[in-house]
Amino acid sequence: MIELACDAVLARLEPLYRDHRNWPAERAAIARLIEQARTERNADLRALDRIRLANPDWFNAASMVGYSLYVDRFAGNLTGLMDRLDWLGHLGVRMLHPLPMTPGQAGDSDGGFAVADYCAVAPALGTIDEVGELTRKLHARGMVLAVDCVLNHCARDHPWAQAALGGDPDKREYFHVIEDRAIVDRREAELIDIFPETAPGNFTWEPELNASVWTSFYPFQWDLNWSNPAVFREMLAVLLFWANLGIDAFRLDSAPFLWKREGTNCRNLPETHQIVAGLRAALDIAAPGTILIAEAIERTADVLGYLEPADGGRACQMAYHNGLMAGIWYALARQDVRPAARLVADSALGRRDIAWLTYLRCHDDIIWSALGPLVEADELARIPAFFAGEGESFARGARFQVQAAALPNTVGTMASLLGGADSAALARYALMMTTLLALPGVPMLYMGDEIALENARADQAFADARWLNRPWMDWNLVDGPQNDRNFAARNRFFEVTRSLLALRAGLPMLDATAPAHVLGDADGLLLLERGEGTQRLLLAANFATMPRDIPDLSGWETMVAITGETRMTTILPAGTAVWYLSHE
Ligand code: OTU
């Protein structure tokens, strides 16, 4: 009976694990785990599952807008976060994504992405019970909670790694421990360096093991060995634990790296897609109302594999559209919207139960390489310099992970990349947000962008320049003093955000999966039609430094612009964007 229900899961895993000596035992353990989680799921969550199963596109409504935050930097702890739910609701946010809340590696934990305990909450932030309370509070408001599941690696402090260091042979097999230096060198030559400045190389020598450990990211982040079925079982148990606490969505951190195979760059391998599909199949039995979000910062063609697996099955419901994100910033820097337009056209999805996750900024750097196939190399090479503020540039960001012969990435907060919090930056913000919120996908905002938080002062403790774009929330800029000039400037960013989100929530043609057609991409003017029939919207976004004519406005009857202008304009000033609505 148990085996029968789990057949779909086991069938996905069979090709990956059938040759592993522990597979028969692990197979049975995985089936038991799923069945146990299914029976333990509480009545409220089952009721939610039923509603969502009847509406498999439940997360695609135009009102679904995410907000990514650090619990400590946003509100101190989970109690503080719960106190701010009214404010977040007022802003128009419906999905919260707190960055890792789990206990991390002592000292530098890569912002919590080196997880020392997958099923606990860092004591400084609160308790597991408070996370449960948060999910119930959110659900009561029609909101949802997304958390990270860091699949690729755990902290060196994690008991599994500690046991391996202590000589436990089973736990040693949870990792890629390589004794032969020649093998390490051979593999290294096939891989890219993710943090060449702060963590060069993909392997770390561990004297206690007399061997190297695979560490794609920081040396204290040990890659898990997903070719061991015990690792699949352990990580599935983590997902099921949080799912039954009430978590609605999981951000699968560094999803591309799970499976390693000699002779490849070990990213986006078909086996990795199978693992993700296996996790999805297990959730479909035990917690079917949950969704998976792929965090795969790769070229669009490679990201599509997480949403639309080659076999037509289910994997992730959402994936970060990092290419489109980079394309919008590129448009701002170069007054050229063609790469972004091309990416919209190339990433149309064929189903309504999957969607892109669209965004402009997050806690990480902007990686430009997804634009590689669309932009000439020398043209793309100008972009990091532009956002670092060199030459004729308003931007105040910085380069990240500079490596000879490779394109640097970019760091900096939204406001800093837009030039600050003055009127010119505000106009750029309105252009960017009016564009983002009309793109196909579920938009995710990043903490502090709505009040134009600028770069944090470099944190002495950590060399990693991404901390520039992880400032502490400044509630003085939200709560007043209201007559303060600085408050007034920031509040204009908040009002732009809030009013655009409120407008969007009422426009069904901005559902994440409503059709999208690029009608124009010449001369810095992006014309994008959303929806169909009587429910249509036209985004006109002028990234050029000159006014542009909108060629044909027949059929479009109202105009909404964040400037408050409602007369139908056929000439769009430089650096502005509007939405036209049809009323047939
Ligand atoms: C993610 O990002 C997180 O968002 C980062 O904050 C972490 O440092 C990292 O994982 C390790 O846990 O390299 O620059 O294709 O590019 O997972 C961001 C995916 C990253 C990776 C992505 C990673």
Side-chain angles (χ1 to χ4, degrees):
M1 161 67 203
I2 295 176
E3 286 273 312
L4 254 188
C6 292
D7 268 358
V9 184
L10 298 172
R12 297 240 166 232
L13 303 182
E14 203 69 45
L16 300 177
Y17 297 125
R18 68 176 146 233
D19 297 332
H20 195 282
R21 68 181 194 290
N22 293 343
W23 179 232
E26 288 296 346
R27 200 189 133 89
I30 289 167
R32 277 197 306 275
L33 182 66
I34 296 170
E35 184 55 18
Q36 190 188 344
R38 192 182 69 81
T39 50
E40 283 173 6
R41 194 155 172 85
N42 74 36
D44 288 348
L45 295 175
R46 282 168 191 247
L48 209 51
D49 286 339
R50 278 194 296 275
I51 294 170
R52 290 175 179 176
L53 283 173
N55 309 278
D57 58 348
W58 62 271
F59 50 87
N60 283 337
S63 60
M64 188 58 83
V65 173
Y67 188 95
S68 182
L69 60 105
Y70 286 99
V71 174
D72 55 350
R73 285 163 188 257
F74 182 73
N77 55 27
L78 281 163
T79 315
L81 173 58
M82 288 189 262
D83 288 344
R84 289 290 177 180
L85 293 186
D86 280 344
W87 181 81
L88 287 161
H90 173 62
L91 175 60
V93 165
R94 272 189 64 199
M95 186 196 330
L96 290 195
H97 167 231
L99 285 142
M101 296 184 281
T102 38
Q105 175 80 13
D108 184 354
S109 67
D110 186 25
F113 284 100
V115 177
D117 184 347
Y118 282 102
C119 295
V121 172
L125 301 182
T127 63
I128 286 283
D129 286 347
E130 284 175 321
V131 176
E133 187 188 338
L134 175 62
T135 63
R136 289 187 294 277
K137 285 198 159 128
L138 290 172
H139 291 164
R141 292 164 183 257
M143 294 168 75
V144 299
L145 189 60
V147 302
D148 281 280
C149 188
V150 187
L151 295 178
N152 179 63
H153 42 264
C154 69
R156 188 179 184 278
D157 279 353
H158 191 286
W160 300 334
Q162 288 300 309
L165 283 168
D168 179 333
D170 286 344
K171 293 300 180 286
R172 185 181 170 108
E173 284 184 33
Y174 276 35
F175 302 99
H176 298 274
V177 179
I178 308 178
E179 282 151 36
D180 185 343
R181 188 69 228 180
I183 297 180
V184 169
D185 292 344
R186 213 163 59 225
R187 304 303 298 262
E188 188 75 82
E190 297 170 344
L191 306 171
I192 54 146
D193 245 3
I194 296 169
F195 300 138
E197 271 182 17
T198 48
N202 287 272
F203 298 87
T204 302
W205 175 255
E206 285 287 353
E208 278 172 75
L209 295 172
N210 200 26
S212 295
V213 176
W214 201 309
T215 54
S216 298
F217 293 84
Y218 279 101
F220 52 80
Q221 285 165 307
W222 286 25
D223 287 35
L224 289 162
N225 176 10
W226 281 84
S227 70
N228 179 352
V231 166
F232 183 93
R233 170 179 48 77
E234 298 265 21
M235 296 310 286
L236 175 60
V238 170
L239 280 171
L240 294 173
F241 168 80
W242 290 101
N244 276 354
L245 196 69
I247 299 299
D248 304 280
F250 296 97
R251 174 185 180 277
L252 302 184
D253 181 70
S254 24
F257 299 83
L258 305 186
W259 197 271
K260 328 282 193 200
R261 197 192 325 132
E262 182 140 29
T264 73
N265 66 3
C266 299
R267 278 152 56 199
N268 311 304
L269 294 180
E271 294 90 334
T272 293
H273 293 142
Q274 280 298 97
I275 289 167
V276 173
L279 295 171
R280 175 69 264 168
L283 287 168
D284 279 343
I285 297 169
T290 55
I291 60 174
L292 296 178
I293 307 173
E295 194 257 345
I297 309 305
E298 303 283 342
R299 291 180 174 182
T300 304
D302 289 325
V303 184
L304 273 165
Y306 297 88
L307 288 172
E308 298 181 322
D311 65 3
R314 274 160 68 76
C316 289
Q317 283 55 61
M318 280 195 222
Y320 282 75
H321 207 324
N322 79 96
L324 194 46
M325 178 275 294
I328 306 291
W329 285 105
Y330 178 85
L332 186 74
R334 302 297 301 150
Q335 297 88 49
D336 178 0
V337 300
R338 289 171 301 172
R342 182 61 195 281
L343 284 168
V344 171
D346 287 354
S347 53
L349 300 175
R351 289 164 33 183
R352 283 197 45 82
D353 61 346
I354 52 176
W356 288 105
L357 186 151
T358 51
Y359 66 116
L360 290 170
R361 286 304 288 120
C362 69
H363 67 290
D364 280 332
D365 45 318
I366 302 176
I367 299 178
W368 301 107
S369 57
L371 298 179
L374 302 173
V375 178
E376 298 284 340
D378 56 341
E379 186 66 15
L380 198 54
R382 299 163 182 244
I383 304 303
F386 178 86
F387 285 108
E390 289 162 24
E392 295 282 297
S393 168
F394 48 78
R396 300 183 200 159
R399 289 184 179 79
F400 180 63
Q401 301 297 342
V402 181
Q403 189 182 21
L407 191 64
N409 304 330
T410 291
V411 284
T413 66
M414 169 92 82
S416 290
L417 295 180
L418 296 177
D422 63 8
S423 313
L426 178 69
R428 290 180 199 113
Y429 181 71
L431 167 69
M432 299 289 276
M433 290 299 284
T434 307
T435 303
L436 171 75
L437 296 176
L439 297 174
V442 175
M444 177 78 89
L445 311 182
Y446 178 56
M447 165 187 157
D449 289 350
E450 73 288 355
I451 53 163
L453 284 189
E454 292 174 63
N455 290 342
R457 261 186 295 155
D459 196 316
Q460 294 304 311
F462 307 118
D464 191 316
R466 288 175 298 170
W467 289 97
L468 265 190
N469 43 261
R470 299 168 183 176
W472 291 77
M473 192 69 179
D474 185 347
W475 290 104
N476 284 328
L477 298 178
V478 173
D479 301 331
Q482 314 260 333
N483 54 3
D484 181 270
R485 273 187 41 216
N486 201 14
F487 166 82
R490 311 301 165 136
N491 199 43
R492 290 192 298 164
F493 282 78
F494 181 86
E495 276 309 316
V496 164
T497 319
R498 195 198 56 74
S499 33
L500 279 173
L501 295 187
L503 251 174
R504 183 181 202 271
L507 297 172
M509 62 289 250
L510 291 183
D511 276 19
T513 55
H517 294 114
V518 175
L519 302 183
D521 65 359
D523 305 324
L525 177 66
L526 176 64
L527 295 170
L528 175 69
E529 185 185 38
R530 297 294 315 279
E532 56 200 331
T534 54
Q535 303 273 12
R536 285 178 304 124
L537 176 147
L538 176 67
L539 162 75
N542 182 8
F543 283 84
T545 50
M546 307 274 281
R548 292 280 178 247
D549 284 332
I550 313 289
D552 180 12
L553 279 174
S554 52
W556 300 101
E557 292 181 8
T558 351
M559 189 186 87
V560 280
I562 208 58
T563 51
E565 176 64 66
T566 51
R567 271 174 305 133
M568 289 288 284
T569 34
T570 56
I571 297 175
L572 203 55
T576 62
V578 295
W579 293 345
Y580 298 97
L581 300 173
S582 69
H583 288 284
E584 281 165 20

